[in-house]
Amino acid sequence: MSGGTILRRMARRLAATFGAAAALALLAAHVGSPNVFYEGNAGPYPVRVVIRPPGVIPGLAEISVRVPNGDVRKVTVQPVRWDLGTKGAPRADPALPVAGEPRLWSAELWFMDFGSYSVHVAVEGAAGTGTVIVPVPAVATQTLGMTRGMALGLAGLGAFLFVGALTIVGAAVRESVLPPGEVPDARRRRRSWIARAVAVPVLALALLGGSRWWDAEDRAYADNLYAAPETEASVAAVDGERVLTLAITDTTWSRFSPLMPDHGKVMHMFLVREPGMDAFAHVHPVRADSLRFQLTLPAELPAGTYRLYADVVHESGFPQTFVEKVAVPAAAQAGAVVARDADDSWRVGGGEAGTAARLEDGSTMTWERDARLAAGRETTLRFRVTDPAGAPAALQPYMGMLSHAAVSRDDGSVFVHLHPAGSVSAVAQQLFAQRERGDTTRTADGQLIMRAPADHALHAAGAQPGAVSFPYEFPKPGRYRIWVQVKRDGRVLTGAFDADVP
Amino acid sequence: MPGASTLPAPARAPARDDARAPAASVPWHVLAVLFASTSVIVGVLWDISWHQTIGRDTFWSYPHMAMYLGGVVSGVACGWHVLHTSFAGSAQDRAGTVSFWKYFHGSLGAWVCIWGAIAMLTSAPFDDWWHNAYGLDVKILSPPHAVLALGILAIQLGAMLMVLSLQNRHGDQRAYRWMFAYAAGLVLINLTTMSSEYTWRSAQHDMLFYKVVAGVVPLVLVAPALAGRLRWPATAAAAAYMGVLLALTIILPLFPAEPKLAPVRFPIDRMMPPQFPLLLIVPALAIDLVLQRWGARKKGWMLAAVLGVLFVATFFVAQWPFANVLNWLATRETILHQELRPYMAGDGALSRGEFWSEASGMVIVKGLGIAAVLAILSARAGVGWGNFMARVKR
């Protein structure tokens, strides 16, 4: 049974138990963290876009756009589906300035269909018009219970209508065909009782039919709830090395569009050891065939049970995260050098409870902790890297980005993979942009070609050397660990920090 | 004893309608419920057009307000009528009503209207919750919409019954006969709108279309044909159905509008009209003709069989070739604007003025056979219902 099915069933049982209008967030593209964050530029304007997708589809997405600098006159948003582009999109909606917040605009957009959507944000002002595309997967992730009050109210009205209908039937048979003034005789009154008696099972049957119809709609909805395709993960010893295989066992896999490599990797996989999250790996399996991905595990990774999160992006721009648990046996030979992807990285050890963490090459990574960190509150995770001498470190692009971060809650219910640009997939953005222009090309075997990804190394305007930041919002309170990865002198360094989010 | 009236035995002989009573002006609450019945069904058709053109709406959109207005007017008018009759009216007033829970008196139609208004009210919070739980509706019929539909139907049936009791008590008043036929036409619009998913012009060469129409329509044409006192009651009802729909078909596209939701597969620029009304006036004429010649005892399966078979035959002969005309209309811009389609409908048979499927030979014969059976059953229900309605005096 896959993680997806387990969580779905658990959610329904919880929703039934609480009975309250408790929305339970299920798995989404990242895990347990459905909101989309983007920080970058819309033409000449720096923007920070946060999109809170609806829990149900069709549903309303809330979009907030923050423009920290620039003389801005108007901000508009437009929902664009991956296969129809802006031609198949309605006119852009204006985003309204938020009272009390000088540089914040907000809007709501309907997402009508399941699938790969994007929001085109346009900023108009003194410096001209700038646009940015923010991909948003539109999936249903929530089930809603009915509050006790509403259920009782509806049941009460329903009972009233039931009794009312019976009374009307009785009155119709008994009196309505009599001329005015005539009193119904015994025979007529008896017929009225019979009519009502017959009406009871008929109405009851109608109610039963209605109830089963509701159940059928509920089941159909639950079937459409998003859950990552079912997978199986296992580790086998091959030639003295530990080879991890992730196999997709879900028959719905063929309905998705093919996978796109994101920054040169078809899959970004993260391994987090249970229960203490004391071993972490960021690795890149390759395809063994159309349904299987394989990877040789680094020898330094200790044995244990790991939570596995694998991020992929489809050609439609739709991102997915596979979630699995896998048992990793001990390495055959300690210290053996294993042939692997040069971009694979890992870290063994706990998280820094304070602000400064020592990195593998002697550098120090410092987290400028936000004093008002809280669940449901937008924040920016800021880190500074200083070399062993104490000067700001010169950071190199690591897979095209200045830095990568992974955030995991201690129970695994939240896992996100962040970049300085936010939680969006850069290749998905490029995809939407290229489709809009009309230029996409395919190879002879049908693979969509993307231009080499732009170097995002100096993404943030006025980036200071050694400083990296990630826009984020913790979805719920709890204990989290944040791994931040940078590259210095050709070596990938990973710092880990703990956060208790109230 | 339940249902027993507390009135003394009437001084004059019963079982005779008071056609010789002084001709009273039409009670205001009856006019109010006819207005409500119109408002409510226009609201439904307008709302469908809104969702096919603009896409998104709010609780207070104009079509919704037309529906709420119908519900409120109907509920208030009938509520007033019931309370006034029960507690402020004369004994003679109460004589012409049915009693409800011993203390309340009102005409039968009024009770049905009140039930309908309460059902409409119940559906509102239920629908709101449904959208939060399962998303905005992508098809017309969902459980909360079914409750709303029942409420709307009840309001319309109640209006029909209220006019009916007046028609049956004041036999010489021609106004009531026309009002009854009009009210029946509005109910016909309701039921055909509920089945509009199956009656697109591109479906009209498929036998499913004929089966659906044969199951739904005869009930609503035969019943008023039996209960109405016009010479051509079913024809009048079908004419009312056609008239209201044609009016909306011409009026709605006069208003420019554009989609506010993605995906926009057709850039519609004016309000989408309803589908062109079905040629129900042809089988309605046939039904009226049969009933004029049938004789005094208009009951039973024989009558239903004749009416059912005749319905299917005349409707098929009229609608099948007319469907080609409709598809031809769809390929050019006319005042009826049948070339428009909902914003989310892509290119296909509908946009090209073609049929989704074309039945032929034995498929048609078998289909018509099944349709005939459905029509006979529907007509039999109509005969029973119509005979009941012919006797309603309260």
Side-chain angles (χ1 to χ4, degrees):
Chain A
M1 193 181 288
S2 83
T5 318
I6 294 174
L7 269 161
R8 209 163 45 206
R9 289 202 195 164
M10 190 170 81
R12 297 191 76 192
R13 225 175 291 139
L14 274 168
T17 312
F18 282 119
L24 205 64
L26 297 175
L27 296 175
H30 289 284
V31 179
S33 191
N35 295 339
V36 173
F37 302 91
Y38 175 74
E39 199 163 285
N41 293 319
Y45 307 96
V47 290
R48 183 195 188 128
V49 180
V50 179
I51 300 176
R52 292 161 217 283
V56 294
I57 295 290
L60 267 175
E62 290 168 33
I63 299 151
S64 74
V65 180
R66 201 179 285 272
V67 188
N69 310 316
D71 177 9
V72 176
R73 286 195 282 270
K74 192 162 115 166
V75 176
T76 62
V77 295
Q78 191 184 30
V80 178
R81 273 180 48 126
W82 72 280
D83 54 349
L84 295 174
T86 47
K87 286 202 200 68
R91 206 188 287 264
D93 270 315
L96 301 172
V98 176
E101 297 255 10
R103 307 208 63 92
L104 184 63
W105 285 260
S106 93
E108 285 181 331
L109 284 179
W110 281 99
F111 284 0
M112 295 302 291
D113 258 327
F114 297 93
S116 183
Y117 264 84
S118 65
V119 176
H120 282 222
V121 179
V123 181
E124 273 172 56
T129 305
T131 330
V132 70
I133 300 174
V134 183
V136 184
V139 287
T141 51
Q142 295 176 339
T143 56
L144 192 68
M146 196 182 264
T147 61
R148 173 160 256 113
M150 162 161 273
L152 279 176
L154 282 180
L157 278 167
F160 187 74
L161 288 172
F162 188 91
V163 171
L166 280 180
T167 313
I168 290 176
V169 165
V173 170
R174 189 183 57 241
E175 283 170 72
S176 69
V177 294
L178 295 176
E182 189 170 307
V183 176
D185 60 13
R187 185 168 152 267
R188 194 146 273 284
R189 286 200 294 276
R190 196 169 47 241
R191 281 174 73 179
S192 160
W193 274 109
I194 293 173
R196 271 179 278 177
V198 168
V200 167
V202 170
L203 287 175
L205 220 71
L207 276 178
L208 184 70
S211 161
R212 291 183 72 159
W213 182 12
W214 186 347
D215 282 342
E217 294 283 330
D218 190 68
R219 265 197 311 276
Y221 173 79
D223 280 342
N224 273 330
L225 275 177
Y226 176 74
E230 298 192 357
T231 45
E232 261 169 25
S234 56
V235 179
V238 177
D239 294 337
E241 294 175 348
R242 299 175 298 179
V243 174
L244 182 142
T245 305
L246 181 69
I248 298 171
T249 54
D250 201 317
T251 47
T252 64
W253 184 242
S254 54
R255 285 198 233 135
F256 289 98
S257 52
L259 294 180
M260 286 285 311
D262 191 345
H263 285 94
K265 315 289 181 194
V266 76
M267 177 180 280
H268 292 260
M269 181 185 282
F270 297 85
L271 296 162
V272 178
R273 190 159 79 157
E274 288 192 317
M277 302 195 285
D278 56 351
F280 167 84
H282 177 181
V283 291
H284 305 97
V286 293
R287 297 193 96 133
D289 58 39
S290 65
L291 293 176
R292 293 183 318 143
F293 298 84
Q294 277 182 338
L295 160 86
T296 309
L297 291 173
E300 293 88 336
L301 207 64
T305 310
Y306 283 78
R307 290 195 293 260
L308 182 160
Y309 304 96
D311 283 341
V312 294
V313 179
H314 292 271
E315 278 185 12
S316 61
F318 191 77
Q320 300 209 67
T321 305
F322 302 121
V323 180
E324 275 298 332
K325 269 206 222 289
V326 65
V328 174
Q333 305 150 279
V337 173
V338 150
R340 52 174 168 78
D341 189 321
D343 288 320
D344 288 353
S345 58
W346 57 89
R347 187 180 183 281
V348 181
E352 176 59 55
T355 54
R358 196 141 188 94
L359 301 177
E360 294 92 316
D361 68 346
S363 317
T364 307
M365 182 184 281
T366 311
W367 181 9
E368 292 162 22
R369 285 182 189 254
D370 179 354
R372 293 185 300 153
L373 191 68
R377 208 180 145 269
E378 246 182 86
T379 184
T380 306
L381 305 170
R382 286 182 220 278
F383 304 88
R384 263 183 308 115
V385 184
T386 48
D387 62 20
L395 299 175
Q396 295 160 332
Y398 172 33
M399 285 188 291
M401 305 275 192
L402 195 59
S403 177
H404 291 250
V407 179
S408 176
R409 194 167 181 270
D410 56 3
D411 62 358
S413 63
V414 177
F415 182 85
V416 211
H417 168 198
L418 293 173
H419 305 124
S423 63
V424 297
S425 153
V427 76
Q429 277 183 311
Q430 283 182 279
L431 228 138
F432 275 98
Q434 272 190 231
R435 276 188 201 273
E436 198 55 39
R437 282 196 300 271
D439 44 47
T440 53
T441 19
R442 286 180 179 271
T443 60
D445 45 314
Q447 276 296 104
L448 196 67
I449 305 179
M450 300 295 296
R451 284 192 328 252
D455 193 341
H456 304 285
L458 297 170
H459 230 242
Q464 301 162 300
V468 296
S469 67
F470 307 88
Y472 190 56
E473 177 185 303
F474 288 89
K476 53 183 180 172
R479 314 200 60 199
Y480 289 83
R481 183 159 293 167
I482 305 166
W483 293 269
V484 184
Q485 300 189 297
V486 293
K487 194 165 178 181
R488 181 178 166 263
D489 279 344
R491 195 171 162 187
V492 178
L493 310 165
T494 309
F497 297 89
D498 281 347
D500 234 317
V501 179
Chain B
M1 234 182 294
S5 165
T6 53
L7 294 174
R12 53 189 166 85
R16 191 176 65 184
D17 73 19
D18 45 6
R20 287 179 288 158
S25 56
V26 180
W28 74 269
H29 67 273
V30 175
L31 288 174
V33 297
L34 271 180
F35 165 77
S37 180
T38 312
S39 179
V40 104
I41 200 63
V42 166
V44 168
L45 289 164
W46 192 1
D47 198 41
I48 292 176
S49 170
W50 190 287
H51 282 282
Q52 289 174 329
T53 311
I54 300 172
R56 67 182 191 218
D57 61 6
T58 61
F59 192 73
W60 295 109
S61 70
Y62 294 130
H64 288 178
M65 291 206 281
M67 286 193 266
Y68 306 150
L69 182 68
V72 164
V73 166
S74 175
V76 166
C78 293
W80 175 89
H81 158 75
V82 162
L83 289 172
H84 181 88
T85 310
S86 306
F87 305 114
S90 66
Q92 196 195 16
D93 287 339
R94 280 196 286 278
T97 61
V98 304
S99 63
F100 201 97
W101 295 342
K102 199 169 169 193
Y103 297 112
F104 298 99
H105 304 269
S107 77
L108 179 67
W111 293 115
V112 179
C113 278
I114 291 175
W115 189 95
I118 295 179
M120 279 181 80
L121 258 165
T122 306
S123 79
F126 186 26
D127 199 29
D128 194 56
W129 177 88
W130 189 272
H131 291 158
N132 288 333
Y134 303 119
L136 209 57
D137 323 283
V138 281
K139 33 180 199 202
I140 293 184
L141 227 41
S142 64
H145 282 186
V147 176
L148 180 70
L150 274 175
I152 291 177
L153 186 64
I155 283 177
Q156 294 194 295
L157 283 176
M160 197 168 77
L161 285 168
M162 283 175 82
V163 177
L164 186 65
S165 67
L166 290 174
Q167 178 205 248
N168 291 344
R169 290 223 302 265
H170 305 283
D172 57 338
Q173 296 256 10
R174 296 191 65 83
Y176 291 135
R177 303 181 191 181
W178 286 104
M179 284 161 69
F180 172 68
Y182 174 68
L186 292 177
V187 174
L188 186 56
I189 297 182
N190 185 328
L191 291 182
T192 50
T193 303
M194 290 297 126
S195 30
S196 59
E197 218 176 290
Y198 301 96
T199 59
W200 286 95
R201 54 180 157 75
S202 295
Q204 292 182 8
H205 275 199
D206 189 275
M207 296 322 290
L208 180 62
F209 163 70
Y210 294 96
K211 292 174 196 168
V212 169
V213 174
V216 169
V217 176
L219 167 65
V220 206
L221 279 184
V222 168
L226 281 163
R229 294 192 183 191
L230 290 172
R231 190 151 161 73
W232 304 87
T235 311
Y241 152 86
M242 197 149 189
V244 172
L245 273 176
L246 275 176
L248 283 171
T249 304
I250 295 175
I251 292 175
L252 278 169
L254 293 173
F255 294 89
E258 60 171 28
K260 293 229 173 95
L261 290 179
V264 178
R265 296 196 179 90
F266 175 69
I268 191 169
D269 60 352
R270 48 185 76 233
M271 291 294 283
M272 170 89 187
Q275 303 164 50
F276 193 91
L278 303 174
L279 293 181
L280 299 177
I281 200 155
V282 174
L285 262 166
I287 289 172
D288 280 336
L289 272 169
V290 166
L291 285 171
Q292 280 165 11
R293 281 153 181 65
W294 190 261
R297 194 178 168 281
K298 298 182 170 47
K299 287 182 199 235
W301 283 96
M302 193 59 197
L303 175 62
V306 170
L307 290 174
V309 170
L310 208 59
F311 177 92
V312 171
T314 51
F315 182 64
F316 179 77
V317 162
Q319 192 72 34
W320 183 282
F322 191 66
N324 290 64
V325 173
L326 289 176
N327 275 338
W328 173 85
L329 263 179
T331 56
R332 59 214 65 226
E333 196 173 313
T334 61
I335 193 175
L336 297 167
H337 282 290
Q338 296 294 292
E339 82 285 2
L340 297 175
R341 61 184 194 275
Y343 73 87
M344 74 290 271
D347 267 322
L350 196 69
S351 62
R352 292 193 294 268
E354 292 165 4
F355 295 103
W356 287 318
S357 66
E358 187 95 36
S360 60
M362 278 312 291
V363 176
I364 295 185
V365 173
K366 265 173 55 182
L368 287 180
I370 297 177
V373 171
L374 291 169
I376 292 174
L377 290 170
S378 183
R380 182 64 186 88
V383 166
W385 177 247
N387 279 316
F388 164 72
M389 287 208 293
R391 293 162 27 225
V392 168
K393 295 182 182 62
R394 303 189 188 195

